[in-house]
C-alpha cells in the first residue's frame, strides 16, 4: 500500500528536481552533459520498444535518427521553419520508412533482421553522401537558436528531458498493456503467440513504427542543437551500437532498463575519455557488451532482482 | 558516362572475376560457420582485416606476404577455436542462445575493429610488394600481378576447403552435421570437436581472405562492414550447401560490380550491392530461413 503512494511521489520528486535543476545555477557544462544523457535515454528507450520487448535486434536504428536530423535541417534552411515544429515531421517520415521496410524485414528472424537493418543504415548513409539537397559529404550547416548560449543549452535540456520522459512513460504504459503482453509473447515464442491469436505481423510492425518515430524526433532536435550535420554524424553506426548496448546493460524489455543503462554507459564514456585514449573507448564498449551478455543477460535490473530474491529467500529461511 | 566498348567490357569482366575470388573466400568462411553451427559470425570480415594488418606488419619487418600466411593462418585458426570454445559452447542451454551468441560476436567485432584503429590507426593501407604492381598483358587484357596472386590464393583456399569437405572423413562428418545435427550425433560424430575445427577453419580462411583483399584493395578498420555485407550477399545468393554455387555467386557479384563501375559512378556500385542484399533478404530469405529442429 505504501508503494502505491510512494512510487508516483518519488517519480514526481525526481522529475521535479530535474526540472528545477537549471534554475539552481549549475555550470553550463553540467547542463549540456545532462541534455546529452536525456537524449540517449530517449534513443535507447525507443530501441527498447522493439529490440527489448520482442528481441528483434535492430542494428539500423540510427537511420531513423539521421532521417529526423536531415528533415529538420532541410526544413529550417530551405523553408525557415523551426526544428521545434518540424521534429515531429521527422518522426513521421522515420515512422513511414519503418512501415515500408518493416513489413518485409520483420519476417526475418534472428540475425537476418539485424543484418537487414544494418544494411539499410548503410544504404541511408550512401544516399546522404551523394544527394545534393542533403549537402553530400559536406553536410548541412544550421543557424543556431538566436539566444545567449546559456539559455540555448537550457532550452535543449528541457526539450530532451521532456522527450525522454515521454518515451519512458510510453514504454512503461506499454509494458503493462495488452500490447506489451503481445510483444513479450512474441519474444518468448513467436509461433506459439500466433497460434494463441496474437496478430504477430501487426504487433511487430506497430512496435517497429513507434520505435522509429521517437529517434526521428530526437534526431531533428539534435541537428538543431549541434547546428551541423553530415552523413557521418547523422548516420553514425556507433549510435546504433550505443542504443543496443545501453538497453542490454540496463535490462532489455524493462522500462527502467534504458535509463540505468544509458546513465552507466554515458558516465563511463565521459570518464573513460580522461583515462584512456579515445580510440580505445569503443573497444571497452565492445568488451562490456560481451561481458554483459555473458554474466548478466537480463541486464543490471535482472541481475539486481535475482540477487535480491536470493538474499531474501535465504533471510526468510 | 564512358563508352561501353568491347575491350573495356572484357577488361571489366576479367577484373570482376579476379575480385570475385576475394568475395568467395570471405563468404566461404561465413558459410562454414553458418552451415555447421547455424551461427552468423558478423565479425568474420573484421578478422579478415585483422589478417591483412598482421600480414602488413610482417611485411614491414621483411616477411613476404605469401610467407606471412604461415603465421596468420595458424593464428586465426586459434582465434576461431577460441571463439567456439569460450563463446559458442558457453551459450549452450541458454534459452536465447542464438541472440546471445550474435550479440557477443557483435561486441567482439566492435572491439576488434576499434583495436585495429588503436594499433594501426584509421589510415587507408594497401599491402604492396615489388612484384604486385607489375602488369601482365594477356591477349590485350591487363592483369596486375597482385590481382592474379590474390585470385589464385583465394581460389586455392576455396578449392582446399572444397576438397576437405568432400574427400576427407572429417569434412564429410562436417557436412553431415550441417545437414542434420541430431542424426549426425546419433551416428557417433563428435559435434563438439567438429564445431571447433569448423570455426577454426572458417577463421583460418579469413587470414587468406585478408591477404587477398589487402593486396588489391585498400583497407582500413571500418571497411570490414562493407566486406561482411557483400560476403553475406554472396552466401544468400549462392547458398551454403554448395561451395561451387558460392564461388559462382561471388564471381557474378564481382563482375556485376565491375561492369556497373564502368557505366556509373562508384557509389552507385555500393548502392546496387546494398539494394541487392536488402532485396534478396526480404524477397527470398527462404533458402537460409529454414529453421532447423529446435
Amino acid at each position: 500500500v505504501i508503494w502505491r503512494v510512494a512510487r508516483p511521489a518519488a517519480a514526481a520528486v525526481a522529475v521535479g528536481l530535474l526540472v528545477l535543476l537549471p534554475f539552481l545555477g549549475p555550470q553550463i557544462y553540467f547542463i549540456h552533459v545532462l541534455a546529452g544523457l536525456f537524449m540517449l535515454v530517449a534513443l535507447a528507450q525507443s530501441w527498447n520498444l522493439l529490440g527489448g520487448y520482442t528481441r528483434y535486434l535492430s542494428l539500423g536504428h540510427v537511420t531513423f535518427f539521421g532521417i529526423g536530423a536531415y528533415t529538420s535541417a532541410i526544413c529550417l534552411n530551405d523553408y525557415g521553419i523551426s526544428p521545434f515544429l518540424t521534429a515531429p515531421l521527422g518522426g513521421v517520415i522515420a515512422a513511414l520508412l519503418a512501415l515500408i521496410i518493416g513489413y518485409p524485414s520483420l519476417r526475418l528472424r534472428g540475425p537476418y533482421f539485424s543484418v537487414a537493418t544494418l544494411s539499410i543504415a548503410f544504404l541511408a548513409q550512401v544516399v546522404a553522401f551523394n544527394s545534393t539537397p542533403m549537402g553530400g559529404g559536406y553536410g548541412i550547416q544550421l543557424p543556431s537558436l538566436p539566444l545567449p548560449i546559456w539559455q540555448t543549452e537550457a532550452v535543449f535540456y528541457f526539450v530532451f528531458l521532456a522527450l525522454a520522459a515521454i518515451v519512458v512513460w510510453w514504454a512503461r504504459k506499454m509494458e503493462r498493456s495488452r500490447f506489451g503482453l503481445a510483444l513479450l509473447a512474441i519474444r518468448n515464442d513467436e509461433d506459439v503467440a500466433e497460434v494463441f491469436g496474437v496478430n504477430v505481423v501487426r504487433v511487430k510492425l506497430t512496435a517497429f513504427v513507434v520505435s522509429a518515430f521517437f529517434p526521428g524526433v530526437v534526431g531533428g532536435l539534435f541537428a538543431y542543437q549541434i547546428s551541423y550535420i553530415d552523413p557521418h554524424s547523422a548516420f553514425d553506426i556507433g549510435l546504433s551500437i550505443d542504443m543496443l548496448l545501453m538497453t542490454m546493460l540496463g535490462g532489455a524489455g524493462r522500462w527502467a532498463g534504458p535509463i540505468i543503462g544509458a546513465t552507466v554507459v554515458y558516465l563511463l564514456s565521459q570518464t573513460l575519455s580522461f583515462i584512456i585514449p579515445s580510440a580505445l573507448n569503443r573497444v571497452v564498449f565492445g568488451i562490456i557488451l560481451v561481458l554483459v551478455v555473458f554474466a548478466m543477460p537480463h541486464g543490471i535490473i535482472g541481475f539486481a532482482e535475482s540477487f535480491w530474491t536470493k538474499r531474501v529467500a535465504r533471510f526468510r529461511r | 558516362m564512358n563508352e561501353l566498348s568491347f575491350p573495356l567490357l572484357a577488361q571489366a569482366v576479367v577484373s570482376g572475376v579476379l575480385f570475385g575470388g576475394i568475395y568467395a573466400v570471405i563468404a566461404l568462411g561465413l558459410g562454414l560457420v553458418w552451415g555447421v553451427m547455424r551461427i552468423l559470425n558478423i565479425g568474420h570480415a573484421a578478422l579478415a582485416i585483422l589478417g591483412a594488418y598482421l600480414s602488413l606488419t610482417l611485411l614491414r619487418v621483411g616477411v613476404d606476404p605469401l610467407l606471412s600466411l604461415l603465421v596468420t593462418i595458424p593464428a586465426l585458426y586459434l582465434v576461431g577455436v577460441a571463439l567456439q570454445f569460450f563463446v559458442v559452447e558457453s551459450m549452450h542451454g541458454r534459452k536465447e542462445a542464438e541472440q546471445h551468441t550474435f550479440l557477443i560476436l557483435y561486441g567482439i567485432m566492435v572491439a576488434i575493429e576499434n583495436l585495429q584503429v588503436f594499433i594501426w590507426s584509421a589510415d587507408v593501407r594497401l599491402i604492396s610488394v615489388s612484384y604486385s604492381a607489375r602488369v601482365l598483358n594477356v591477349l590485350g587484357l591487363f592483369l596486375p600481378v597482385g590481382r592474379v596472386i590474390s585470385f589464385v590464393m583465394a581460389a586455392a583456399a576455396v578449392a582446399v576447403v572444397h576438397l576437405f569437405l568432400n574427400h576427407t572423413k572429417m569434412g564429410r562428418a562436417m557436412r553431415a552435421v550441417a545437414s542434420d545435427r541430431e542424426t549426425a550425433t546419433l551416428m557417433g560424430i563428435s559435434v563438439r570437436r567438429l564445431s571447433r575445427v569448423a570455426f577454426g577453419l572458417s577463421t583460418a580462411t579469413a587470414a587468406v581472405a585478408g591477404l587477398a583483399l589487402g593486396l588489391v584493395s585498400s583497407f582500413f578498420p571500418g571497411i570490414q562492414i562493407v566486406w561482411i555485407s557483400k560476403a553475406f550477399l554472396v552466401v544468400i545468393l549462392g547458398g551454403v550447401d554448395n561451395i561451387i554455387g558460392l564461388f559462382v555467386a561471388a564471381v557474378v557479384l564481382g563482375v556485376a560490380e565491375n561492369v556497373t563501375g564502368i557505366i556509373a559512378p562508384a557509389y552507385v556500385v555500393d548502392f546496387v550491392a546494398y539494394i541487392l542484399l536488402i532485396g534478396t533478404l526480404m524477397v527470398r530469405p527462404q533458402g537460409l530461413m529454414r529453421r532447423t529442429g529446435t
Side-chain angles (χ1 to χ4, degrees), chain A residues 107 109 112 241 293-294, chain B residues 34 90 94 106 267 282 291:
Chain A
R107 290 187 309 163
R109 288 188 183 181
Y112 294 98
I241 303 171
V293 179
F294 259 120
Chain B
W34 170 257
S90 63
R94 282 202 188 183
Y106 185 64
Y267 67 84
M282 291 178 177
R291 299 184 82 190

Side-chain angles (χ1 to χ4, degrees), chain A residues 202-227:
Chain A
R202 203 165 82 196
V203 168
K204 285 190 296 188
L205 202 56
T206 314
F208 192 34
V209 167
V210 175
S211 110
F213 172 78
F214 289 115
V217 180
V218 173
L221 296 164
F222 174 75
Y224 203 19
Q225 188 194 23
I226 64 164
S227 64

Side-chain angles (χ1 to χ4, degrees), chain B residues 136-197:
Chain B
L136 301 177
N137 189 336
V138 183
L139 301 170
L141 296 169
F142 297 104
L143 303 177
V145 173
R147 289 210 163 189
V148 175
I149 293 177
S150 143
F151 178 78
V152 169
M153 234 163 50
V158 175
V160 165
V161 173
H162 184 68
L163 292 176
F164 170 76
L165 287 178
N166 285 293
H167 297 284
T168 66
K169 201 174 173 193
M170 194 180 221
R172 285 186 181 152
M174 235 174 241
R175 283 167 53 214
V177 173
S179 66
D180 190 335
R181 198 182 186 88
E182 270 165 38
T183 312
T185 317
L186 290 174
M187 297 297 137
I189 294 172
S190 166
V191 174
R192 173 188 286 232
R193 191 172 68 99
L194 216 64
S195 300
R196 286 182 197 161
V197 177

Side-chain angles (χ1 to χ4, degrees), chain A residues 231-283:
Chain A
H232 278 301
S233 64
F235 294 105
D236 176 15
I237 293 303
L239 200 58
S240 285
I241 303 171
D242 290 345
M243 291 185 223
L244 179 151
L245 170 64
M246 288 166 176
T247 312
M248 291 301 295
L249 176 64
R254 312 294 296 267
W255 66 269
I259 305 177
I260 298 172
T263 310
V264 172
V265 171
Y266 194 59
L267 289 181
L268 205 63
S269 72
Q270 297 283 323
T271 42
L272 273 181
S273 50
F274 291 111
I275 306 168
I276 53 171
S278 59
L280 281 179
N281 244 342
R282 296 223 155 262
V283 180

Side-chain angles (χ1 to χ4, degrees), chain A residues 55 104-105 107-109 111-112 114-115 119 122 127 130 188 191 241 244 248 282-283 286 293-294 297, chain B residues 34 40 86 90 94-96 98-100 102-103 106-107 114-115 225 232 267 271 277-278 281-282 285 291:
Chain A
R55 289 291 191 279
S105 64
R107 290 187 309 163
L108 305 171
R109 288 188 183 181
Y112 294 98
S114 305
V115 171
S119 335
F122 284 116
V127 171
N130 298 289
N188 282 334
D191 299 330
I241 303 171
L244 179 151
M248 291 301 295
R282 296 223 155 262
V283 180
V293 179
F294 259 120
Chain B
W34 170 257
L40 177 65
F86 289 111
S90 63
R94 282 202 188 183
K95 194 168 158 272
E96 297 178 324
E98 188 189 31
Q99 275 123 353
H100 288 177
F102 179 72
L103 278 172
Y106 185 64
N114 290 284
L115 207 58
I225 210 88
F232 197 73
Y267 67 84
F271 193 80
L277 172 56
I278 298 167
L281 263 177
M282 291 178 177
R291 299 184 82 190

Side-chain angles (χ1 to χ4, degrees), chain B residues 43-87:
Chain B
H44 187 74
L47 290 171
I49 300 284
L50 182 67
Y53 275 117
L54 290 178
S55 290
L56 184 70
T57 307
L58 286 169
L59 177 65
R60 292 219 175 119
V61 296
V63 183
D64 186 272
L66 293 175
L67 284 177
S68 75
L69 284 177
L70 293 177
V71 179
T72 57
I73 290 181
L76 280 167
Y77 179 85
L78 290 179
V79 170
V81 174
L83 282 176
Q84 174 67 20
F85 184 77
F86 289 111
V87 177

Side-chain angles (χ1 to χ4, degrees), chain A residues 67-144:
Chain A
I67 285 174
Y70 271 100
T71 305
S72 73
I74 292 170
C75 282
L76 178 62
N77 274 11
D78 295 358
Y79 304 102
I81 314 172
S82 163
F84 291 121
L85 300 173
T86 56
L89 177 67
V92 169
I93 295 179
L96 277 178
L97 179 75
L99 193 65
I100 296 166
I101 62 178
Y103 188 71
S105 64
L106 282 166
R107 290 187 309 163
L108 305 171
R109 288 188 183 181
Y112 294 98
F113 177 74
S114 305
V115 171
T117 48
L118 187 65
S119 335
I120 286 163
F122 284 116
L123 195 60
Q125 201 176 39
V126 173
V127 171
F129 254 114
N130 298 289
S131 143
T132 331
M134 291 166 87
Y138 298 109
I140 302 181
Q141 185 85 41
L142 289 80
S144 53

